[in-house]
Amino acid sequence: MAYLQSMPKSETIRIREKHVGAACQLFFRSSPLKIVRGIAQYMYDETGERYLDCINNVAHVGHCHPHVVEAGRNQMSLISTNNRYLHDELVILAERLVKTLPEPLSVCFFVNSGSEANDLALRLARIHTKNKDVITLDHAYHGHLTSMIDVSPYKFNLPGGPEKPEWVHVAPVPDVYRGKYVYPNDSVNEEELGKLYANEVGKICKESKSKNGGVCAFIAESLQSCGGQIIPPEGYFKEVYQHVREADGVCIADEVQVGFGRVGTHMWAFETQDVIPDIVTMGKPMGNGHPVAAVITTPEIAKSFADTGVEYFNTYGGNPVSCAIANAVLDVIEEERLMERAHRVGNHLLSRCEQLKHKHSLVGDVRGKGLFVGVELVTDRETRTPATAEAKHVVNRMREEKILISRDGPDSNVLKFKPPMVFSTQDADRLVDTLDRVLAELDGTRTSIKLQVLVTPLEETNDASISASVQQSIKSM
Ligand code: PMP
């Protein structure tokens, strides 16, 4: 069944190319998808074709969940105003979120996006510590605002990216598969690896303390997603937080991607490392697609901010509609026991992906927690050389099989799975069975595939021929 659309796909593309900034890139650029409807873990294009969505961690409780839609619709029909008026949805949301967090994280600020949340977190850290030096991890991404690009090597390290400011210090990402210190390694165990990586942050802290009087903040995702689905070694954050606090800095946990129960065992991914941050930022899944985000901190840090006497006003942050939606998302997480589900289905997905490692030499590493899983492809397991072209091919082939996955990491060779939390074991089986087939196609034909992919990139084409190739692909649909 095709769905009612206001214009044909070719026209959508034509107008987009004419009036939308080219820096806003599409998935599958040479043959983009036009998605017109979603339900649970599925998305539908304009022809009615159904895709299994394995990457949309924003549609946390499932695309267009009726309870969330209803909450938004109801509140829209009543009032949407700003947080200078009292409203129950806002205070209920604040109280519910705080209940999920360890003490002393108890003061909320509501904003509209992950970028805004991290920007405010940095502002709080600056005001509280009066220091300037910020430590970030290599390949990290924390948002699109100017202040966030400054602390996002994922962006500023790109060829056309801006220069890294002198107050930003980049520590190695604790990637125990292809990072500075790797595992397995005869001389160290996992905990020692955590220490080695944490010492890298410690060195920066000591230098900052002696040169500039101290650190402002350490900001990191609790599990690095944009950097390639990285699971830090045990004990890493505990050591890091100690170093940062000894240098008078605050610790910011970016939970924008990995929060709200995705890891299965805990509501917040930092809890898997048994640490308590000074500031937590959250967004994406919080509104299931509606823009709502938050910063939660300690009374002490919030007081430093209030003591400046400068009002914090955010026109849309904490509006009743956003808060009603976020409350509805929390309802669904609880009522449908989605955290437990992430644990159960995630373990199944992870173990099925592990099996692929025994079948396909391309699969170098499989890692994950809950419904946050990465499969790293390498051309050689000894050298751990990234299989970038192969990963690109796999993403495109999976799309042909109506399964949407993506790839990430500094070499774009890590297949990334972070589906809506309503993902089932059957979905996991379909994903892995199909991936198994696609990888089997690649076994033995790697050289020719590599050449073909490099010559005609489907997923990423950024040249003037887009229009023509898109028209071509539409004709063939
Ligand atoms: N932090 C992380 C870890 C993210 O992945 C993102 C978005 N990809 C952001 C912050 C920024 O969020 P937003 O796009 O909602 O501004």
Side-chain angles (χ1 to χ4, degrees), residues 227-434:
Q229 307 289 89
I230 305 295
I231 312 292
E234 217 180 303
Y236 171 71
F237 278 113
K238 231 176 197 166
E239 295 273 337
V240 166
Y241 280 21
Q242 209 168 321
H243 290 305
V244 173
R245 284 167 178 159
E246 276 165 15
D248 308 319
V250 300
C251 301
I252 304 171
D254 180 337
E255 292 270 341
V256 169
Q257 291 249 13
V258 293
F260 288 94
R262 177 157 297 276
V263 295
T265 48
H266 301 83
M267 184 71 163
W268 306 105
F270 67 77
E271 294 175 284
T272 63
Q273 288 256 329
D274 196 21
V275 289
I276 302 180
D278 304 292
I279 306 176
V280 178
T281 59
M282 53 192 75
K284 287 184 189 281
M286 188 171 169
N288 211 49
H290 177 89
V292 53
V295 179
I296 305 188
T297 189
T298 65
E300 205 190 339
I301 292 175
K303 182 174 183 307
S304 298
F305 191 32
D307 285 350
T308 61
V310 179
E311 181 200 12
Y312 180 71
F313 177 64
N314 186 324
T315 302
Y316 298 115
N319 74 76
V321 174
S322 299
C323 293
I325 288 173
N327 276 318
V329 170
L330 290 175
D331 291 342
V332 180
I333 294 173
E334 285 164 22
E335 280 162 24
E336 297 186 11
R337 304 172 72 83
L338 292 183
M339 202 163 93
E340 289 91 330
R341 186 184 181 102
H343 186 55
R344 180 171 44 82
V345 179
N347 278 346
H348 180 74
L349 176 61
L350 199 60
S351 71
R352 292 258 5 236
C353 287
E354 275 289 341
Q355 291 162 8
L356 294 180
K357 212 157 73 173
H358 304 297
K359 288 180 80 175
H360 307 283
S361 60
L362 258 180
V363 178
D365 192 38
V366 172
R367 51 187 179 254
K369 273 194 193 299
L371 283 172
F372 176 87
V373 171
V375 173
E376 180 144 11
L377 302 187
V378 292
T379 53
D380 180 332
R381 283 186 180 174
E382 277 300 303
T383 58
R384 302 185 181 183
T385 307
T388 305
E390 286 81 356
K392 178 187 273 188
H393 175 82
V394 169
V395 171
N396 289 326
R397 274 289 292 116
M398 294 296 280
R399 179 248 169 111
E400 285 171 9
E401 300 290 333
K402 317 293 179 229
I403 297 177
L404 300 178
I405 63 169
S406 67
R407 65 198 175 107
D408 215 320
D411 295 294
S412 302
N413 66 319
V414 183
L415 305 177
K416 196 158 130 162
F417 310 137
K418 47 186 180 91
M421 303 266 283
V422 290
F423 211 64
S424 66
T425 47
Q426 289 83 354
D427 295 325
D429 284 337
R430 181 177 161 211
L431 166 63
V432 179
D433 290 343
T434 312

Side-chain angles (χ1 to χ4, degrees), residues 113-116 118 141-144 221 225-226 254 256-257 284:
S113 67
S115 302
E116 258 193 32
N118 283 331
Y141 177 68
H142 294 293
H144 57 77
E221 279 191 271
S225 49
C226 289
D254 180 337
V256 169
Q257 291 249 13
K284 287 184 189 281

Side-chain angles (χ1 to χ4, degrees), residues 189-227:
N189 61 32
E190 198 190 342
E191 209 161 311
E192 284 162 335
L193 273 177
K195 243 188 190 85
L196 285 173
Y197 275 112
N199 285 345
E200 296 280 337
V201 177
K203 273 187 248 164
I204 299 172
C205 289
K206 280 198 186 77
E207 207 178 310
S208 165
K209 179 107 176 155
S210 68
K211 271 196 192 155
N212 303 326
V215 166
C216 165
F218 166 80
I219 181 166
E221 279 191 271
S222 306
L223 310 174
Q224 201 181 59
S225 49
C226 289

Side-chain angles (χ1 to χ4, degrees), residues 2-28:
Y3 296 96
L4 193 63
Q5 276 296 287
S6 57
M7 63 185 85
K9 184 171 173 177
S10 55
E11 187 64 358
T12 315
I13 292 169
R14 189 190 68 75
I15 299 175
R16 179 166 167 134
E17 284 182 350
K18 194 167 171 204
H19 293 301
V20 175
C24 305
Q25 298 174 354
L26 290 158
F27 278 146
F28 307 106

